[in-house]
């Protein structure tokens, strides 16, 4: 033990799991001896124990700077950086530690996890196989191997390894949870639920395990329990850090259903643009709870559109760099409002439409659509989502040419609303107008959608916008990791009455839903022609 007068007390506090006390004492000791090895380690562990990952990382760095031979410190710093999303830096630290202790199975496994997060799945699998060879009885390493196999699509082998990990250690919560995810992705929901609940029973404080179970229940329409579990997303320190980074410091308490009469409440966005469009419907419900002022913070590209929304007294763009958030008595986030509203499948707030295009903008942009033949059915197309989305490879069409059969249907004109990847492409077989260059924000998209007869889209924010506008949307959904909001097996959506769902029957099979969509579109065009 260090000769520092605070070292023994700090060490005792750490042994007693009194992390805040250990951190406080270690910091006092470090004020006397800034490079004391034992106190730097206690401070790092104390910071980790209190959820202060960035502070813990600083102490591990200081320890490594003076003691580069400490492979354990490099490993701990790597784990924190990986958890914060800095995978390349974490990889370098794991390799640095392995240069010192090359036969450390857990270091090899941690390196494999970092490689997996960088989508270097072949390298990740090789690391996990090496690690398991060094520690064949480790349930944790075997589960990490199963994770790599899952990422490579080798589901049968992954399931076998998860079950072997659980045979070796029935209390290994991560294996239960990850096996649950694998089973749920295969449509084996009853088995998945057993494993999700087992993981949560073993580690009730885990946000990840609660969220896995919650999203499965929401997909099944079991909203009462699902919304409660879904709140676990805000317990994860990283999610709160991202929220504050996005919106700024939160100086008031989070709203938990308290009386709002005469109060000011601040509503923050979270997750994707589609989430913001879907759940902003709850702001009229929230305003009815009686706050004197309801302030909606939204992403800048949604701001002109959100001005058509009932409920908010003030709508402001999130821009933490421009200054602090407005003063308020409470804050909340959009995706927590369904829980507070007691939302079930039967009472989803649905004053459709709850968003509207700006009349002046619609009048200005309408001629772009009216260049089509007057009697043509005007169909919008979006075939790719945000490539940064974790499931975009499955939810986006792998080729625009898959839509070519639509060109055989007479009486149609297609309008591309595709932004980002795929923008500017076309299919010669389709009567085609590219509207993407006109789309500067979502108010432009709303104005053009209002002039169309139908939107055909993959799972994107544009599809949510069509639903919120009360416009017909035919939505193509993947089999793999279908978003929970579209529920299971249904062809309709309780969130958007004019949205029709076309689902893959098996992973990667776009032929089947597109064949059904093409048939229905031909019938719609024929009906339109007869009516005209």
């Amino acid at each position: 033990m260090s000769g520092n007068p605070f070292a023994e007390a700090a060490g005792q506090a750490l042994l007693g799991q009194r992390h805040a006390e250990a951190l406080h004492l270690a910091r006092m000791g470090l004020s006397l001896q800034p490079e004391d090895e034992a106190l730097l380690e206690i401070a790092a562990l104390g910071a980790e124990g209190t959820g202060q990952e960035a502070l813990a990382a600083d102490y591990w760095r200081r320890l490594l700077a003076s003691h580069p031979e400490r492979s354990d410190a490099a490993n701990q710093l790597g784990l924190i950086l990986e958890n914060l999303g800095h995978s390349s830096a974490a990889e370098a630290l794991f390799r640095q530690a392995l240069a010192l202790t090359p036969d450390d199975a857990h270091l090899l496994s941690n390196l494999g996890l970092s490689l997996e997060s960088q989508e270097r799945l072949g390298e990740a699998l090789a690391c996990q196989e090496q690690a398991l060879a060094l520690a064949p009885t480790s349930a944790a390493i075997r589960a990490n191997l199963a994770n790599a196999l899952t990422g490579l699509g080798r589901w049968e082998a992954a399931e076998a390894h998860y079950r072997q990990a659980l045979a070796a250690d029935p209390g290994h919560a991560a294996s239960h949870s990850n096996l649950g995810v694998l089973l749920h992705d295969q449509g084996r929901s009853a088995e998945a639920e057993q494993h999700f609940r087992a993981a949560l029973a073993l580690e009730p404080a885990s946000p990840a395990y609660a969220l896995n179970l919650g999203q499965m229940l929401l997909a099944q329409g079991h909203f009462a329990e699902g919304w409660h579990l879904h709140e676990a997303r805000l317990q994860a320190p990283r999610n709160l850090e991202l929220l504050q980074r996005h919106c700024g410091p939160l100086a008031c308490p989070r709203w938990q259903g308290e009386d709002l009469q005469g109060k000011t409440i601040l509503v923050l966005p979270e997750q994707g643009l589609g989430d913001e469009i879907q759940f902003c419907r709850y702001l009229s419900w929230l305003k009815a709870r009686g706050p004197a002022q309801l302030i909606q913070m939204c992403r800048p590209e949604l701001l002109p559109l959100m001005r058509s929304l009932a409920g908010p007294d003030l709508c402001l763009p999130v821009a933490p760099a421009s200054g602090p958030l407005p003063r308020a008595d409470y804050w909340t986030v959009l995706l927590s409002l369904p829980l507070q509203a007691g939302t079930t499948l039967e009472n989803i707030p649905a004053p459709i439409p709850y968003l509207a295009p700006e009349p002046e903008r619609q009048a200005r942009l309408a001629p772009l659509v009216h260049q089509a033949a007057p009697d043509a059915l005007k169909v919008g197309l979006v075939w790719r989502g945000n490539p940064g989305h974790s499931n975009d490879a499955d939810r986006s069409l792998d080729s625009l040419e898959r839509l070519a059969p639509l060109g055989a249907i007479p009486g149609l004109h297609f309008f591309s609303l595709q932004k980002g990847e795929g923008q500017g492409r076309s299919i010669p077989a389709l009567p085609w107008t590219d509207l993407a260059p006109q789309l500067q924000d979502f108010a432009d998209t709303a104005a053009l959608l209002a002039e169309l007869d139908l939107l055909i889209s993959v799972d994107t924010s544009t599809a949510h916008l069509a639903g919120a506008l009360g416009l017909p949307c035919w939505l193509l959904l993947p089999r793999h990791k279908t978003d929970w909001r579209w529920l299971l097996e249904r062809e309709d959506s309780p969130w958007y009455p004019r949205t029709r769902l076309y689902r893959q029957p098996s992973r990667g099979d776009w032929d089947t839903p597109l064949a059904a969509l093409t048939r229905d579109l031909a019938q719609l065009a024929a009906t339109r022609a007869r009516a005209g």
Side-chain angles (χ1 to χ4, degrees):
M1 180 61 70
S2 164
N4 190 290
F6 292 97
E8 183 175 355
Q12 289 298 320
L14 188 63
L15 286 172
Q17 301 293 304
R18 302 189 306 276
H19 294 103
E21 180 184 348
L23 175 59
H24 174 68
L25 290 167
R27 294 178 85 166
M28 292 177 69
L30 288 168
S31 68
L32 300 175
Q33 294 174 266
E35 304 307 320
D36 185 284
E37 180 180 1
L39 285 171
L40 284 169
E41 181 173 357
I42 292 171
L45 293 171
E48 285 186 42
T50 55
Q52 301 178 72
E53 291 185 310
L55 180 60
D58 182 58
Y59 284 121
W60 287 124
R61 285 191 189 96
R62 287 170 59 181
L63 179 56
L64 270 176
S66 55
H67 297 277
E69 76 284 356
R70 289 283 301 267
S71 62
D72 60 326
N75 180 52
Q76 288 297 118
L77 179 56
L79 289 171
I80 291 173
L81 294 179
E82 182 64 42
N83 192 44
L84 293 173
H86 306 307
S87 296
S88 295
E91 177 191 348
L93 284 159
F94 294 138
R95 293 192 185 280
Q96 175 183 333
L98 281 166
L100 298 167
T101 53
D103 292 332
D104 187 317
H106 291 283
L107 266 174
L108 271 167
S109 191
N110 289 341
L111 174 59
L113 292 173
S114 182
L115 293 167
E116 184 180 342
S117 68
Q118 298 175 66
E119 299 186 1
R120 292 154 63 183
L121 297 179
E123 295 175 74
L125 179 61
C127 276
Q128 301 298 356
E129 288 173 336
Q130 286 179 263
L132 190 62
L134 290 167
T137 62
S138 170
I141 291 175
R142 190 174 290 277
N144 290 341
L145 172 59
N147 293 345
L149 289 165
T150 299
L152 289 165
R154 295 167 59 180
W155 287 1
E156 187 175 341
E159 181 178 345
H161 279 288
Y162 283 133
R163 295 194 184 281
Q164 287 180 61
L166 288 171
D169 181 4
H172 192 247
S175 289
H176 278 294
S177 185
N178 291 337
L179 177 56
V181 172
L182 179 64
L183 295 170
H184 180 54
D185 287 346
Q186 296 178 66
R188 297 157 64 183
S189 296
E191 295 175 77
E193 182 172 349
Q194 292 178 3
H195 288 284
F196 284 148
R197 292 193 183 277
L200 198 54
L202 288 163
E203 295 186 20
S206 168
Y209 301 160
L211 191 56
N212 282 342
L213 175 59
Q215 289 188 335
M216 190 196 74
L217 293 172
L218 290 174
Q220 294 173 332
H222 301 323
F223 282 2
E225 185 181 7
W227 293 127
H228 280 280
L229 290 165
H230 195 239
E231 290 297 281
R233 73 197 185 282
L234 294 177
Q235 296 171 20
R238 184 179 176 190
N239 286 344
L240 277 176
E241 180 188 341
L242 288 172
L243 184 65
Q244 292 188 358
R245 189 187 311 163
H246 186 61
C247 298
L250 302 170
C252 56
R254 183 182 169 202
W255 184 58
Q256 302 283 6
E258 295 89 347
D259 182 9
L260 289 175
Q261 293 292 326
K263 303 293 186 181
T264 295
I265 186 166
L266 192 65
V267 183
L268 306 176
E270 60 169 321
Q271 302 187 36
L273 292 163
D275 301 88
E276 200 167 340
I277 291 169
Q278 179 178 3
F279 291 100
C280 70
R281 71 176 73 208
Y282 280 89
L283 294 184
S284 59
W285 170 87
L286 184 60
K287 183 62 179 176
R289 308 278 75 73
Q293 189 175 44
L294 191 165
I295 304 175
Q296 178 193 10
M297 306 297 295
C298 73
R299 292 174 175 86
E301 58 265 49
L302 287 170
L303 184 61
L305 174 70
M306 289 297 175
R307 290 181 178 137
S308 69
L309 180 67
D313 298 293
L314 184 63
C315 186
L316 300 172
V318 288
S322 65
L325 290 169
R327 292 174 63 89
D329 297 290
Y330 297 104
W331 66 271
T332 188
V333 285
L334 282 174
L335 271 75
S336 291
L337 296 179
L339 171 64
Q340 296 295 343
T343 303
T344 67
L345 283 175
E346 291 71 35
N347 69 5
I348 291 173
I352 305 293
Y354 54 87
L355 293 174
E358 295 177 359
E360 298 81 3
R361 197 180 300 232
Q362 186 175 347
R364 173 171 56 81
L365 294 174
L368 297 170
V369 175
H370 295 167
Q371 62 184 283
D375 57 346
L377 190 72
K378 302 173 186 65
V379 181
L381 293 176
V382 178
W383 60 93
R384 295 205 64 82
N386 179 355
H389 189 278
S390 60
N391 199 43
D392 194 60
D394 276 275
R395 71 172 184 165
S396 292
L397 293 185
D398 51 3
S399 169
L400 175 58
E401 281 64 36
R402 283 193 176 275
L403 299 175
L406 301 180
I409 304 172
L412 303 179
H413 192 96
F414 294 93
F415 295 86
S416 172
L417 300 166
Q418 180 65 52
K419 295 285 285 183
E421 188 173 338
Q423 181 176 336
R425 297 198 56 205
S426 62
I427 302 178
L430 302 185
W432 188 277
T433 299
D434 185 6
L435 296 178
Q438 309 300 322
L439 306 179
Q440 302 306 309
D441 57 33
F442 278 81
D444 289 333
T445 307
L448 288 166
L449 280 173
E451 295 296 319
L452 302 178
D453 299 302
L454 171 67
L455 173 69
I456 295 173
S457 179
V458 294
D459 187 3
T460 67
S461 55
T462 306
H464 284 283
L465 178 56
L469 294 167
L471 304 174
C473 176
W474 292 1
L475 186 61
L476 293 158
L477 291 176
R479 180 68 176 182
H480 183 62
K481 295 188 180 298
T482 312
D483 196 286
W484 60 263
R485 74 202 63 224
W486 306 118
L487 304 171
L488 300 176
E489 309 305 331
R490 292 178 62 144
E491 296 179 355
D492 67 332
S493 168
W495 297 97
Y496 305 119
R498 301 191 74 186
T499 294
R500 185 184 301 181
L501 309 180
Y502 293 84
R503 299 176 181 269
Q504 288 183 341
S506 59
R507 187 176 186 181
D509 178 8
W510 284 120
D511 292 338
T512 300
L514 280 169
L517 185 148
T518 302
R519 182 191 63 240
D520 292 346
L521 188 58
Q523 292 176 353
L524 180 63
T527 301
R528 171 71 170 263
R530 288 193 296 270

